[in-house]
Amino acid sequence: MGQFIQFTINGLMSGAIYALIALGIIAVYKATRVVNFAHGYVIMIGAYFYYTFAVILPSADWFPALRFSPEWLTKAKAEAAMFSPAAAWLSWLENLPRIVFGLVAAVIASGILARLIERFLMRPLLGQSQFAMIMITVGLISVLSGIKSVLWTGDAASVPHLAPNPALRFELFGSPIFIFGANLVSMGIAIAIFGTIVLWLRRSSAGVAMRAASEDQSTAYSMGISVPRVFAQAWVLAAATGAVAGAILAARDGVSPSLGLFGFSVLAIVLMGGLDSFIGVFIASLVVGVLEALVQWQLGGDWVEITPYVAVLIVILIRPHGLMGSKEVERL
């Protein structure tokens, strides 16, 4: 029972990150009716931006060190026991300026990249077939991979966690549970961002404009909605949330080109939940996260990679539009 609870909690934490990644895919789809196959690689670039601004630049001789190191902190670090909760908190506090600078800069840089993608690759195809726009996102995978190879090495690297990372031990239903603090905080950050963005899209005029543009671009134009602006907002939103997700994944798993593959797993989760349903995708993300954790527990890590695809196939066979996706009716 203890291991079941432990792996379930681990799965829920992973599922929250999947939901944050999926948010970007849904935002672009709701605005443009285009499935962005390159979203995982946008996240990868966001993770490398975080690595650049939080690790590479502060380590350069000509750049400020960006470390919070008053005398009392230096003394406390020297006295703290290695691997103790106090040492984890003090180490995070020392790196806090780097973390804040790296995350903010990564979000801004990812937003600029998304703006360029929308302006020069997607906007010229306004009014064209959705298939053409989808193929642009497929080609974008190679472009972003090439940019990564030119600007950064292929070696895996570590980055500071967004939150303190002490090892937390407690009992739940009489079973010992072990959780890293940064994973728990990352789960909270992911859920908070997901909920905030969903509420904003549902209740703000920008969200209404996004839904109107996705339904009928010509009608949206006639009602005074700037469709190009809506498209740009959706891409920037997807890239910004993707940068946060990339920073979380990079801190957990390290920065490497393999981060781009997360997009394909999350795309399966989006199809499972329903391409136009935030709630459905959130539920699907948590379900797949738990399933992956339980599969790893029972069958080993080799089976984890196929879990999202098996789950989505089962759901689509029963509900072709996903768990909570709406059925589209075309009138002739």
Side-chain angles (χ1 to χ4, degrees), residues 261-321:
L261 300 177
F262 269 93
F264 297 111
S265 298
V266 175
L267 181 58
I269 293 173
V270 171
L271 294 174
M272 177 179 171
L275 269 169
D276 59 348
S277 173
F278 287 109
I279 301 301
V281 168
F282 184 77
I283 294 172
S285 298
L286 296 183
V287 169
V288 170
V290 172
L291 285 176
E292 285 185 342
L294 296 179
V295 166
Q296 183 179 19
W297 171 37
Q298 293 294 328
L299 302 178
D302 294 338
W303 294 87
V304 173
E305 293 183 1
I306 67 171
T307 301
Y309 306 105
V310 173
V312 71
L313 285 175
I314 294 173
V315 171
I316 287 180
L317 287 174
I318 300 172
R319 294 182 60 86
H321 297 89

Side-chain angles (χ1 to χ4, degrees), residues 148-223:
K148 181 265 152 198
S149 299
V150 170
L151 298 180
W152 296 282
T153 66
D155 300 331
S158 60
V159 296
H161 289 276
L162 302 187
N165 197 33
L168 306 177
R169 297 176 178 86
F170 57 93
E171 285 194 2
L172 186 63
F173 302 115
S175 301
I177 303 299
F178 178 88
I179 296 175
F180 283 107
N183 292 340
L184 192 61
V185 175
S186 296
M187 176 183 178
I189 292 173
I191 293 175
I193 293 176
F194 187 95
T196 301
I197 296 297
V198 169
L199 287 176
W200 178 72
L201 289 176
R202 288 188 171 180
R203 299 185 178 182
S204 68
S205 58
V208 174
M210 190 176 293
R211 292 194 296 271
S214 68
E215 290 295 331
D216 192 320
Q217 295 178 15
S218 300
T219 303
Y221 266 121
S222 66
M223 296 181 67

Side-chain angles (χ1 to χ4, degrees), residues 83-95:
F83 304 118
S84 66
W89 275 90
L90 294 171
S91 178
W92 173 80
L93 187 60
E94 182 183 42
N95 286 316

